[in-house]
């Protein structure tokens, strides 16, 4: 097993962009050179030499600028680790292990693609949309959240996408409804996209993947999981797929899978 590199990264920005959601921007030139869309890193949660909490937190790359050497993560404050992470200040340094996992794969240039995300699941799709545009694809985004206050990435995606479709449960932005309602509303546009990339809560991914596969579209999903090591040693992030009925490691064999491989009902 080849151990991943640990990078000491300077914090450039760590700010709340929506209630409970933060943008973390780091200066990490070596990591930026190799980080691909769909991959992730394991982040130390506190600055300096603190070991509390002991375990790192997995975060997907939300954007990468190889020219400036910066990487961006979006995260939601949920527990002790992310609460500590939200208190880190500009100028602090964090240990970041990565890049980790298997990323998204693009089809041949010139074919339209779609990114489909819910809540914090939009995070890795921002990088994917920008990457797809730079590689000659028209990109369409379909994103949903509970309300406008938790709808992430809409403004950033506008710069990369031919069109951004949004939905919120309370109707405060875009279509009133969930991701299923949004995909039904924009079914004509979705059907034009040859390959789709999905991330979000498990049930949302399952119904989105089912719709995409039903339209005959290639579909890749990025799975979210609690992780302890990030390198496949602890088997704490397994899921059921057609590859291995008992366990497939999300951290190493994923987090990106072909949608038809994942046993969403298992």
């Amino acid at each position: 097993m080849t151990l991943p590199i640990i990078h000491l990264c300077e914090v450039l920005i760590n700010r709340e962009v929506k209630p409970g959601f933060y943008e973390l921007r780091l200066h990490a030139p070596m990591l930026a050179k190799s980080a691909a869309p769909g991959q992730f890193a394991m982040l130390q949660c506190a600055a300096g030499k603190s070991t509390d909490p002991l375990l790192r937190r997995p975060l997907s790359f939300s954007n990468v600028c190889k020219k400036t050497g910066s990487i961006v993560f979006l995260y939601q404050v949920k527990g002790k680790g992310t609460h500590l992470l939200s208190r880190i200040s500009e100028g602090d340094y964090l240990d970041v292990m990565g890049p980790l996992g298997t990323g998204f794969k693009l089809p041949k240039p010139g074919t339209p693609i779609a990114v489909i995300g819910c809540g914090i699941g939009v995070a890795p799709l921002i990088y994917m949309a920008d990457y797809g545009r730079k590689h000659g694809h028209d990109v369409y985004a379909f994103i949903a959240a509970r309300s406008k206050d938790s709808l992430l990435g809409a403004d950033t995606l506008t710069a990369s996408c031919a069109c951004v479709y949004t939905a919120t449960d309370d109707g405060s932005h875009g279509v009133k409804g969930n991701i299923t309602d949004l995909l039904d509303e924009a079914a004509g546009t979705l059907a034009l996209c040859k390959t789709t990339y999905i991330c979000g809560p498990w049930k949302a991914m399952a119904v989105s993947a089912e719709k995409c596969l039903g339209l005959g579209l290639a579909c890749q999903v990025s799975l979210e999981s609690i992780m302890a090591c990030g390198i496949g040693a602890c088997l704490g992030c397994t899921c059921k797929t057609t590859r291995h009925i008992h366990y497939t490691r999300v951290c190493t064999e994923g987090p990106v899978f072909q949608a038809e491989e994942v046993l969403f009902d298992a």
Side-chain angles (χ1 to χ4, degrees), residues 191-216:
L192 298 174
C193 301
K194 304 303 180 184
T195 305
T196 59
Y197 305 87
I198 303 173
C199 188
W202 191 261
K203 288 184 179 180
M205 279 197 298
V207 297
S208 299
E210 183 179 15
K211 281 188 175 292
C212 292
L213 294 174
L215 291 170

Side-chain angles (χ1 to χ4, degrees), residues 133 141 153-164:
R133 177 186 63 83
D155 294 337
T156 309
L157 284 166
T158 299
S160 302
C161 298
C163 191
V164 178

Side-chain angles (χ1 to χ4, degrees), residues 44-141:
Q44 176 190 19
C45 294
K49 297 182 180 180
S50 173
T51 57
D52 182 27
L54 179 62
L55 297 179
R56 298 169 181 266
R57 295 298 186 270
L59 293 178
S60 299
F61 299 112
S62 183
N63 224 330
V64 171
C65 181
K66 299 182 187 298
K67 184 176 180 179
T68 63
S70 66
I71 55 175
V72 177
F73 300 98
L74 289 178
Y75 64 96
Q76 182 178 9
V77 175
K78 287 185 175 181
K80 179 179 180 180
T82 47
H83 175 70
L84 287 173
L85 193 60
S86 72
R87 296 172 63 184
I88 289 173
S89 302
E90 178 182 327
D92 287 340
Y93 284 83
L94 286 180
D95 279 357
V96 179
M97 185 171 70
L100 301 169
T102 301
F104 294 118
K105 294 177 175 61
L106 281 174
K108 293 180 180 180
T111 56
I113 63 175
V115 295
I116 302 170
C118 297
I120 196 63
V122 172
L125 303 178
I126 294 172
Y127 184 18
M128 183 60 206
D130 184 58
Y131 186 82
R133 177 186 63 83
K134 290 176 178 176
H135 285 76
H137 299 274
D138 288 332
V139 186
Y140 296 85

Side-chain angles (χ1 to χ4, degrees), residues 169-193:
D169 290 348
D170 63 3
S172 54
H173 195 288
V175 171
K176 184 176 182 179
N178 57 27
I179 192 65
T180 303
D181 299 316
L182 179 61
L183 295 179
D184 287 340
E185 182 82 11
T189 302
L190 178 63
L192 298 174
C193 301

Side-chain angles (χ1 to χ4, degrees), residues 5-9 27-35 64-66 68-71 98-99:
I5 298 173
I6 295 179
H7 308 263
L8 185 61
C9 307
H27 182 61
M30 294 303 295
L31 182 55
K33 285 182 179 180
S34 55
V64 171
C65 181
K66 299 182 187 298
T68 63
S70 66
I71 55 175

Side-chain angles (χ1 to χ4, degrees), residues 211-234:
K211 281 188 175 292
C212 292
L213 294 174
L215 291 170
L217 309 178
C219 184
Q220 298 173 36
V221 295
S222 177
L223 304 187
E224 298 177 332
S225 178
I226 296 173
M227 296 180 187
C229 72
I231 58 174
C234 69

